[in-house]
Amino acid sequence: MKWGFLIIYFHFLSIATSFGIPRSDKSSILRSSSQLRATSDAKLTLFSPCKINLFLRIIKKRDDGYHDLASLFQAVGFGDTLELKVLEGADTDEFTCNMEGVPTDQTNLVLRALQLMRDKTGHSDTYFSANLIKECPAQAGLGGGSANAATAMFGANELMGNPASLEEMVEWSADLGSDITFFLSRGTAYCTGRGEIMTPIDPPLDAATELVIVKPNVGLSTPTVFKSLEYDKLSDLDPDNLLEQFIDKSETIAMVDDRSFVNDLEPPAFKNLPELKQLKEDLQKVKGFHHIMMSGSGTSIFCIGNPDDTEAFEKEFLSRDLQVFFAQFISRPEGKWYEKPPPS
């Protein structure tokens, strides 16, 4: 299949070309003309988007205990905000977060991303104040923590004066986690391996595509879901064929065959949390939704489209122990970071 053999080739080079930069000049990606200096008056406020998985195939369990997967990732206009500022004369980072339970020590992905950027760029004496304003719930399958890390990497690079190219950050991001690499794409990417091997989709999928995310106020850890995976019950659909279907209908995602929205982690998640399966079935009865599927390892369920009767939908689902977020597909402008869509 054509997408299969292009993965390695595009792992680095397609990122350069997606920014409209010749490959011979790819080391200059994201070099800012203004070249911000690492001074105390340098500050950035950046949107940290969530993601959904339009399909997620588990290919096999690896010898190292991880799983090979194939998934089409899409950024959405719901997420967090990261405020990042250089600390003059500091010898440690400062981190604050509005959400209870988010770790504030060196296990936090934002702080790990800042340290990674210092280690890789040689800016060992540049430290930051980071304030993370969380809206994305935990254990949602929306990649909130991974997005925070990618956002911190991009912001730190900007405030340091852009010492790193985008392709360098893509390579380094795999040291932090599997999904982080995706957020350095333009917003749509086919991810394989553990999720760190990225083939950007350019142009990204239609940013006008609307969706609703429904999140129960109960979570499932990713290890719990994978431990319940039954390998003989995995889908046999070819991920390359799935990808082609989405690319062919990139401007009309609602028209993609519903059978192409497959997530191999749904059955084990539903086994652990039967009420999650019931929620999906209830959402399938709502008129106006074209496709309904769990994202990642859950527990969020996304619905492509909008309810025909928004008032009735909110009355029914907001009365339960649920969170509901209205969003849309987004993409990243060339050479810039993601922007939060204005309220509709």
Side-chain angles (χ1 to χ4, degrees):
M1 297 296 177
K2 63 180 180 180
W3 288 103
F5 70 76
L6 285 175
I7 292 173
I8 298 175
Y9 179 74
F10 279 111
H11 179 35
F12 295 118
L13 296 184
S14 64
I15 296 173
T17 57
S18 73
F19 275 76
I21 297 173
R23 291 173 185 165
S24 60
D25 296 331
K26 58 183 179 288
S27 63
S28 65
I29 294 173
L30 292 182
R31 298 297 201 272
S32 170
S33 59
S34 59
Q35 290 291 298
L36 285 171
R37 290 187 174 277
T39 59
S40 59
D41 60 347
K43 181 178 180 180
L44 289 174
T45 299
L46 298 170
F47 179 54
S48 179
C50 290
K51 61 82 181 169
I52 59 171
N53 302 84
L54 293 170
F55 67 80
L56 198 169
R57 286 289 338 281
I58 302 300
I59 307 303
K60 65 177 182 179
K61 187 172 183 178
R62 300 167 14 157
D63 293 339
D64 61 7
Y66 289 99
H67 291 77
D68 279 333
L69 58 84
S71 182
L72 181 60
F73 283 56
Q74 175 61 50
V76 299
F78 165 70
D80 307 324
T81 301
L82 180 64
E83 298 174 340
L84 200 61
K85 182 179 180 180
V86 173
L87 292 175
E88 191 75 23
D91 59 2
T92 187
D93 294 314
E94 296 178 359
F95 178 78
T96 55
C97 182
N98 66 314
M99 183 175 286
E100 185 178 351
V102 173
T104 57
D105 59 13
Q106 292 301 319
T107 63
N108 185 277
L109 276 171
V110 170
L111 291 175
R112 290 177 60 197
L114 297 177
Q115 184 60 52
L116 178 70
M117 292 301 292
R118 275 192 294 272
D119 292 342
K120 295 294 188 178
T121 64
H123 286 244
S124 58
D125 59 350
T126 303
Y127 291 86
F128 302 90
S129 168
N131 178 39
L132 181 61
I133 304 168
K134 289 289 290 183
E135 292 188 44
C136 178
Q139 295 187 340
L142 299 175
S146 296
N148 297 159
T151 304
M153 289 183 69
F154 179 91
N157 194 52
E158 284 283 310
L159 292 174
M160 290 174 175
N162 292 294
S165 68
L166 178 64
E167 63 179 352
E168 286 173 327
M169 290 192 288
V170 165
E171 181 180 4
W172 302 340
S173 66
D175 293 346
L176 296 174
S178 301
D179 292 350
I180 298 169
T181 305
F182 158 70
F183 291 98
L184 296 170
S185 74
R186 288 191 56 210
T188 308
Y190 181 49
C191 297
T192 55
R194 292 182 294 113
E196 85 286 4
I197 303 175
M198 176 181 67
T199 303
I201 304 302
D202 192 15
L205 298 182
D206 184 16
T209 302
E210 296 181 321
L211 71 155
V212 179
I213 299 170
V214 181
K215 169 69 171 73
N217 287 322
V218 60
L220 283 173
S221 70
T222 300
T224 296
V225 175
F226 272 99
K227 285 179 182 178
S228 301
L229 197 62
E230 297 182 57
Y231 296 94
D232 59 340
K233 296 183 179 179
L234 296 177
S235 169
D236 60 1
L237 294 176
D238 188 322
D240 289 342
N241 288 341
L242 294 174
L243 179 61
E244 289 181 4
Q245 291 190 47
F246 280 90
I247 299 303
D248 289 344
K249 294 182 172 62
S250 62
E251 296 181 359
T252 53
I253 297 303
M255 300 302 293
V256 174
D257 189 327
D258 194 58
R259 292 171 295 183
S260 297
F261 285 81
V262 57
N263 183 348
D264 281 335
L265 297 182
E266 269 194 349
F270 291 170
K271 181 179 179 180
N272 280 279
L273 205 62
E275 56 265 44
L276 191 60
K277 180 180 180 181
Q278 183 61 55
L279 174 59
K280 179 179 179 179
E281 292 173 353
D282 292 344
L283 289 167
Q284 287 173 328
K285 299 173 185 176
V286 177
K287 293 182 178 180
F289 291 151
H290 306 290
H291 307 289
I292 298 163
M293 192 175 76
M294 188 182 78
S295 182
S297 58
T299 54
S300 291
I301 294 179
F302 67 86
C303 314
I304 302 295
N306 268 316
D308 290 347
D309 189 337
T310 302
E311 184 177 351
F313 169 78
E314 292 181 340
K315 182 177 180 180
E316 177 180 354
F317 289 93
L318 288 178
S319 65
R320 307 186 192 183
D321 193 23
L322 302 169
Q323 300 178 69
V324 176
F325 310 103
F326 291 81
Q328 64 192 63
F329 288 10
I330 63 170
S331 59
R332 184 158 65 87
E334 292 187 4
K336 299 181 181 180
W337 194 241
Y338 298 95
E339 298 175 0
K340 186 173 184 177
S344 56

